[in-house]
Amino acid sequence: MGSNSSRIGDLPKNEYLKKLSGAESVSENDPFWNQLLSFSFPAPTSRLKIWITGHINLCVENNPRTGNLGALIKVFLSRTKELKLSAECQNHIFIWQTHNALFIICCLLKVFICQMSEEELQLHFTYEEKSPGNYSSDSEDLLEELLCCLMQLITDIPLLDITYEISVEAISTMVVFLSCQLFHKEVLRQSISHKYLMRGPCLPYTSKLVKTLLYNFIRQEKPPPPGTHVFPQQSDGGGLLYGLASGVATGLWTVFTLGGVGSKATASPELSSPLANQSLLLLLVLANLTDASDAPNPYRQAIMSFKNTQDSSPFPSSIPHAFQINFNSLYTALCEQQTSDQATLLLYTLLHQNSNIRTYMLARTDMENLVLPILEILYHVEERNSHHVYMALIILLILTEDDGFNRSIHEVILKNITWYSERVLTEISLGSLLILVVIRTIQYNMTRTRDKYLHTNCLAALANMSAQFRSLHQYAAQRIISLFSLLSKKHNKVLEQATQSLRGSLSSNDVPLPDYAQDLNVIEEVIRMMLEIINSCLTNSLHHNPNLVYALLYKRDLFEQFRTHPSFQDIMQNIDLVITFFSSRLLQAGAELSVERVLEIIKQGVIALPKDRLKKFPELKFKYVEEEQPEEFFIPYVWSLVYNSAVGLYWNPQDIQLFTMDSD
């Protein structure tokens, strides 16, 4: 570090780092800090880890006596008071030195949090040098002051080319502040960092911070191109100013915000905007903090209650931390960013917890922009982690709770869905495509993961839609019956295995019987739900779905075995009636009928079918219900996303206890 440091190889013997981590106290007013913070590195490389191992370990050991971490933080705090003015005056050198101070603090924090408890960490932040005869027990709480300062920096500093990097670093440092969770096997319900964020001087920044993070996600601002804020190169080939600006712009910042992946030249698409990515991660971390013992999570409250900028109605006095944001811009960003887990998790959070957002989205006339990316996630289920698939599926379940949504998706006609490869779909409704993708997910689950939770949610979404099925595409109708055929074959196979096992047990009392009864019970539950979905469509919208009737007639033999089955007799009445009625009309029309002629007969028969003969069943409606302790799922999920992002560059996998690195 220091103005004379420009090579990675110099770091282990760097005099400034030695002094920072050494046994000698350095006053916050010492010129040393200006020298320490004037560093640059010429190229992106993850080898910057080198200086952490030796110097930071020494700093951890010596800081209780020297208080140098506290002095560095005070230097940073004093500089941030002038940061806004420096941005307005284009004071590059001041901003970069302030950025470098925060960068070092963040690196120190990562190691400190990894190696010690929060209580021990707090002692490092409450150091106060005592002069002889001074017995005051009061000491500054630099941890809280630093946290407040970061919130101010994120919310108040204008986003310019020269402030982009320090904004990213401030957000990353806040995430690191909260990373104690990574080193605990259980979900933290009480934490010093939580306490600071939920009360005291940090609390008034709640709504402003959430709003800023959301707008950072919406805007997807890309980092400034290298050289856009570099000082003109001096004739002698450089110097401190040029080295600082160009070196950090092209090297240091790129390493620590884009993940430090060595020779990789460009960031992956999801990190095309590091500021948006880190903002979203911090927002999700804040939203999933556990409630305090005496107060709910204020950041979750803010997310639950914000309104559209076009909504002029006053906020109820009972709603704290409320604010307004442009819903149209947020909707557009959510539609465009669904390739990442974190964007899908944000969409789920907003749909599930903010009724204003949910109402707005369901009223949109371009829902295909949101639904298609979600369907694409489910379609490529083999390439996605299980959490991402669950989030996408639950979003569909929440959307299908609304009858207006279930009607409108059949009115949206799509052309040439290129990512759907099983069959060329030149023209299909959004509703039929949704059915196809959900059925494909069920079939994938039956053959691969066999996850009952996934089955249940897929079938619940289909059930919610079933009464509103309209003009089903012939392929969608075929796939509904094909899924029933697959379930029927599976049922027969399990039944045969159970019978053979029972016969075998008569000759041997020592061999334990497999639990085929449980398997049979599960498959029969799924079959009944499929029959209820078909029945719901027939009783509510038979005249709108000739293709489904055609598919039923074509595979009518499938349903024979279930007519007299005690578990399905009641639900089979309507299906049996429809099959019998239309079969007789086709028989009267003669043999060798074309597909077109069969469909014509079905359309005519729908008018003649006496509707009062169809038995009415309760409407199928399933609502998404969050688990009793959702944090047990969401907190590990969020922190796995954080760890795998750029923020997690220095966390050691061996130290992480909350989650496994394999998110599947």
Side-chain angles (χ1 to χ4, degrees), residues 519-537:
D519 292 345
L520 200 61
N521 183 56
V522 170
I523 194 69
E524 287 185 355
E525 283 181 10
V526 176
I527 287 175
R528 178 169 179 89
M529 201 162 179
M530 278 302 300
L531 289 172
E532 288 177 340
I533 289 167
I534 295 169
N535 178 75
S536 174
C537 177

Side-chain angles (χ1 to χ4, degrees), residues 1 96 146 151 217 242 280 313 354 359 364 484 598 661:
M1 300 286 176
W96 275 114
L146 177 58
M151 296 174 83
F217 168 72
Y242 177 76
L280 179 51
S313 61
N354 190 314
T359 301
R364 295 281 303 204
F484 184 81
V598 172
M661 298 312 298

Side-chain angles (χ1 to χ4, degrees), residues 337-618:
Q337 300 300 320
Q338 287 307 306
T339 53
S340 74
D341 279 73
Q342 47 263 44
T344 304
L345 182 53
L346 176 64
L347 174 59
Y348 158 78
T349 302
L350 295 177
L351 273 174
H352 178 51
Q353 298 187 359
N354 190 314
S355 59
N356 301 319
I357 279 281
R358 185 166 59 251
T359 301
Y360 174 84
M361 288 187 176
L362 289 169
R364 295 281 303 204
T365 57
D366 60 348
M367 277 299 291
E368 67 273 16
N369 291 339
L370 187 68
V371 175
L372 281 173
I374 298 300
L375 294 183
E376 200 167 350
I377 293 169
L378 291 175
Y379 185 78
H380 296 294
V381 59
E382 302 94 337
E383 303 166 17
R384 304 290 182 182
N385 70 68
S386 58
H387 294 340
H388 201 182
V389 172
Y390 281 142
M391 289 298 100
L393 191 54
I394 292 169
I395 287 167
L396 287 185
L397 180 56
I398 293 172
L399 292 174
T400 59
E401 292 172 13
D402 183 77
D403 285 340
F405 171 83
N406 295 330
R407 285 190 297 270
S408 65
I409 56 175
H410 292 287
E411 298 167 1
V412 178
I413 305 301
L414 308 169
K415 296 182 184 295
N416 299 317
I417 307 301
T418 55
W419 49 262
Y420 193 95
S421 60
E422 272 89 341
R423 178 167 172 155
V424 177
L425 299 175
T426 54
E427 187 172 286
I428 189 171
S429 71
L430 179 61
S432 289
L433 181 64
L434 196 158
I435 292 167
L436 285 174
V437 173
V438 171
I439 287 176
R440 184 180 183 275
T441 306
I442 294 173
Q443 291 180 324
Y444 174 83
N445 186 51
M446 286 176 65
T447 57
R448 303 285 185 88
T449 56
R450 300 181 181 181
D451 187 325
K452 184 180 178 181
Y453 179 79
L454 193 144
H455 262 339
T456 303
N457 282 282
C458 284
L459 291 168
L462 289 177
N464 286 346
M465 296 168 59
S466 59
Q468 307 293 337
F469 284 171
R470 294 289 188 276
S471 304
L472 288 182
H473 191 280
Q474 61 180 12
Y475 186 53
Q478 289 171 18
R479 298 305 293 163
I480 291 173
I481 305 304
S482 294
L483 175 58
F484 184 81
S485 174
L486 186 63
L487 292 168
S488 176
K489 290 176 183 176
K490 191 171 181 64
H491 178 267
N492 292 339
K493 183 179 179 180
V494 173
L495 194 59
E496 183 181 348
Q497 288 173 334
T499 304
Q500 291 176 351
S501 176
L502 189 60
R503 287 172 183 166
S505 68
L506 297 177
S507 58
S508 175
N509 296 324
D510 300 329
V511 181
L513 284 174
D515 193 3
Y516 287 113
Q518 184 178 357
D519 292 345
L520 200 61
N521 183 56
V522 170
I523 194 69
E524 287 185 355
E525 283 181 10
V526 176
I527 287 175
R528 178 169 179 89
M529 201 162 179
M530 278 302 300
L531 289 172
E532 288 177 340
I533 289 167
I534 295 169
N535 178 75
S536 174
C537 177
L538 296 178
T539 54
N540 290 286
S541 53
L542 177 64
H543 54 296
H544 288 298
N545 293 291
N547 283 328
L548 182 61
V549 177
Y550 181 97
L552 273 173
L553 294 172
Y554 189 74
K555 293 284 189 179
R556 54 183 174 269
D557 293 345
L558 281 175
F559 299 89
E560 286 289 339
Q561 63 178 307
F562 299 107
R563 285 180 176 175
T564 56
H565 195 292
S567 299
F568 311 117
Q569 272 184 318
D570 58 336
I571 204 72
M572 275 298 302
Q573 290 179 26
N574 289 338
I575 297 172
D576 193 31
L577 173 63
V578 169
I579 290 174
T580 304
F581 177 81
F582 285 100
S583 293
S584 65
R585 293 184 74 88
L586 291 176
L587 193 61
Q588 293 171 13
E592 303 298 328
L593 299 174
S594 66
V595 173
E596 291 76 14
R597 178 58 182 151
V598 172
L599 285 171
E600 184 182 337
I601 293 170
I602 290 172
K603 291 174 183 176
Q604 293 170 352
V606 166
I607 301 171
L609 178 68
K611 303 295 188 296
D612 57 348
R613 290 177 60 188
L614 293 173
K615 181 182 177 182
K616 288 290 183 183
F617 286 87

